[in-house]
Amino acid sequence: QLQLVESGGGLVQPGGSLRLSCAASTSIFRAYYRAWYRQAPGKQRELVAAINSSGSTNYADSVTGRVTIFRDNAKNTVYLQMDSLKPSDTDVYCCYARILLSAYWGQGTQVTVSS
């Protein structure tokens, strides 16, 4: 059973930056499709950014230009660098990984953007 452990969330002022990390309990994390989702209470879960095993990325329109997803395969970790944060970015951010028919979620990390 793959385990995903997120870190890096917190409180940041508008315009600030955060880097989220998702560490996986597998040495073949590079083979997974990996993504970050976010969800606020009462709202639908939204894909923020994704990276596949080849390194190709895609982003939600709402974060394009402000967010970068990248990986460190040697550390079995995927990151989400978020810049120019807005109050509307306040959410619980969850790491997601999928390989073949198996999908996994992290526990989530809270990001709060507020002055």
Side-chain angles (χ1 to χ4, degrees):
Q1 181 78 3
L2 178 68
Q3 292 186 330
L4 302 172
V5 179
E6 300 113 326
S7 60
L11 173 64
V12 63
Q13 292 186 342
S17 298
L18 280 176
R19 178 177 292 183
L20 307 183
S21 301
C22 173
S25 62
T26 176
S27 60
I28 59 166
F29 199 39
R30 68 185 68 196
Y32 286 68
Y33 167 89
R34 292 147 288 182
W36 287 93
Y37 282 79
R38 65 185 181 185
Q39 186 172 23
K43 295 176 64 177
Q44 190 170 3
R45 183 176 289 163
E46 175 189 23
L47 174 68
V48 178
I51 184 167
N52 66 15
S53 58
S54 300
S56 297
T57 60
N58 66 282
Y59 298 92
D61 289 343
S62 58
V63 302
T64 296
R66 301 188 296 117
V67 166
T68 303
I69 187 170
F70 63 100
R71 65 209 173 148
D72 185 334
N73 289 332
K75 295 182 178 180
N76 301 313
T77 300
V78 62
Y79 301 92
L80 188 70
Q81 176 68 40
M82 301 189 292
D83 302 312
S84 303
L85 283 163
K86 306 174 182 180
S88 58
D89 293 317
T90 296
D91 266 322
V92 175
Y93 286 71
C94 292
C95 181
Y96 170 84
R98 185 184 72 234
I99 187 167
L100 299 178
L101 299 180
S102 298
Y104 306 91
W105 290 94
Q107 81 285 357
T109 185
Q110 177 70 46
V111 171
T112 302
V113 185
S114 175
S115 56

